[in-house]
Amino acid sequence: MSRFAVGIDLGGTKVEACLVDETRQILARKRRPSEPGLGRERVVRNILELVAETAGGALFEAVGMGTPGTYSPAADIMFGAPHTPLYEKPGLVSLLRSELEVPLIVENDANCLALAEFFAQCHGRFSTVMAVILGTGMGSGLILGNRLHRGPNGNAGEIGHTSIAIDGRTCECGRRGCGEAYLSGPSLARRYAELTGETLPPDRIFERYGAGDLHARRVFDESVRIMGELFANCVNTLDLEAIVLGGGVSNIPLWYEQVPGVMNRALFGTPGRTIPILKAVLGDSAGVLGAAYLALREMHLMEF
Ligand SMILES: [Zn+2]
C-alpha cells in the first residue's frame, strides 16, 4: 500500500503544494496566491485548502513546508524574510500546526532546494555539497556528509551575507561587502546602471556582453571573480565536492564556464582538485519537492 506526504513551498505572494508517494514521485502539484495582505488567518486558510485540494483524498502522514527566511520555533516567527512582513509576525506556523492533523516540519526554502537538488543529481556521487540560490537575494543550503546541515538555529549556509570585501558595497543587511551585494539580480543590475545609467535585468546585460558591450563585460568579469573567490572560501571552509546553482540568475552561462577556473585556482589543500559547478536540474519544482522530503524523513522513508 502506498504512503503519502505533502510538500508546501510558501513564497512571498504564492503558495505551492505537491503530493508525493514513498517513491518520491510527484502525484499532484497545485498553486494559488497566499494573500499575505489579507492577514494571517487568510494565509493559513489558503494553505489548508491548497493541501486538501492537492491531496485529493489521499491519506498523507506528514507535511513539510519551505519558507522564506529561517523559522524560529522559540519565537514562532520567520527571521530574515524582509520581503514578506506578515511572515515575520508570530503565530503563522503554530496556527497551521493546530489545524493540521499530521506533523508539520518547517525549513528554510534554500535548504529545501538543496535537498531536492542533492537527491536529483549528487547523491551517491558527492556527499558534501552546497546548493546556492541566486535571484533577488543569495542564499544556500548545505549537505555535509549526506546530511542536511541546518545548524542549531537553522542559520547555516548564509553565504549571501558573508563578506568578500570589508570596505565593499553596503548590503541590504547593513554589512559591507556581502556576496549578495554583488551577485544578486538587483546587484548586477545596479552595477550596470552605475556604469551606463541604464537599468536592465541580468539576462539582458548578458546579451550585451555577448554583443561586445564593454560595460557588460566589466560587470560580468567582476562578478565572475567575486563568485569564484566566494565559492573558494566555502570550499576551503567545508571541503565541498560540488556546488549546485539555482534561482533566477543561475542561467548565465559564464557561471559554469568561467567561475570554476577562478575558484579552483584559489583552493587550499589537496592539489589538483577541481570542484564542479552544476546547474540546478529541477527548475521551480525543487522547493516543493525538498519540502516533501522533510515529510518523508519524518515518516522514516528517507534519510538525510
Ligand atoms: Zn548582507
Side-chain angles (χ1 to χ4, degrees):
M1 208 175 96
S2 287
R3 297 178 67 188
F4 302 103
V6 168
I8 301 170
D9 187 9
L10 180 61
T13 55
K14 67 169 179 61
V15 56
E16 186 163 354
C18 74
L19 177 73
V20 299
D21 63 13
E22 74 282 0
T23 69
R24 303 175 202 162
Q25 292 304 305
I26 295 183
L27 307 173
R29 186 176 157 190
K30 295 184 188 295
R31 68 167 68 181
R32 65 161 66 184
S34 58
E35 302 181 298
L38 299 178
R40 192 176 62 195
E41 280 73 18
R42 181 62 165 261
V43 173
V44 168
R45 205 174 76 209
N46 280 328
I47 295 173
L48 291 169
E49 285 176 8
L50 181 69
V51 167
E53 197 185 312
T54 308
L59 292 175
F60 54 92
E61 295 170 52
V63 176
M65 182 168 78
T67 63
T70 299
Y71 177 65
S72 159
D76 194 21
I77 62 173
M78 292 161 213
F79 289 111
H83 308 295
T84 50
L86 173 80
Y87 305 158
E88 288 202 319
K89 291 193 185 123
L92 183 75
V93 171
S94 55
L95 187 57
L96 196 53
R97 251 188 201 128
S98 69
E99 296 286 335
L100 282 168
E101 285 159 7
V102 296
L104 170 68
I105 299 91
V106 181
E107 191 54 82
N108 172 267
D109 51 9
N111 287 351
C112 292
L113 175 132
L115 274 177
E117 289 291 340
F118 175 73
F119 282 100
Q121 58 173 330
C122 299
H123 190 240
R125 216 156 48 112
F126 308 116
S127 71
T128 298
V129 173
M130 176 172 74
V132 177
I133 306 183
L134 203 55
T136 315
M138 183 179 195
S140 81
L142 295 169
I143 309 288
L144 307 181
N146 293 310
R147 299 265 163 197
L148 175 68
H149 179 75
R150 56 189 314 282
N153 299 295
N155 292 321
E158 289 293 356
I159 179 191
H161 302 286
T162 60
S163 177
I164 41 90
I166 54 172
D167 293 318
R169 204 177 296 175
T170 304
C171 180
E172 273 186 48
C173 74
R175 202 173 173 208
R176 291 178 82 102
C178 287
E180 182 173 300
Y182 296 92
L183 299 171
S184 71
S187 300
L188 293 168
R190 199 174 309 123
R191 182 67 181 125
Y192 188 73
E194 273 170 21
L195 297 170
T196 62
E198 200 178 349
T199 302
L200 291 177
D203 52 343
R204 293 285 311 285
I205 304 171
F206 185 70
E207 280 172 24
R208 294 199 175 180
Y209 174 98
D213 177 333
L214 290 178
H215 298 299
R217 179 161 291 268
R218 185 160 165 197
V219 169
F220 281 108
D221 285 351
E222 287 171 2
S223 312
V224 161
R225 280 191 59 208
I226 289 167
M227 191 184 292
E229 294 290 339
L230 181 59
F231 286 179
N233 289 346
C234 300
V235 176
N236 288 344
T237 306
L238 298 165
D239 198 4
L240 300 171
E241 295 171 290
I243 292 172
V244 180
L245 209 50
V249 188
S250 65
N251 291 328
I252 305 288
L254 291 179
W255 305 150
Y256 309 93
E257 293 162 7
Q258 297 188 5
V259 173
V262 177
M263 171 178 70
N264 288 322
R265 276 194 297 278
L267 297 186
F268 192 82
T270 315
R273 274 179 307 158
T274 53
I275 309 301
I277 297 180
L278 308 170
K279 199 165 190 298
V281 291
L282 294 169
D284 63 359
S285 307
V288 79
L289 191 58
Y293 290 177
L294 296 166
L296 290 174
R297 177 167 75 170
E298 182 70 16
M299 294 156 62
H300 305 288
L301 293 172
M302 281 184 89
E303 219 180 288
F304 50 79

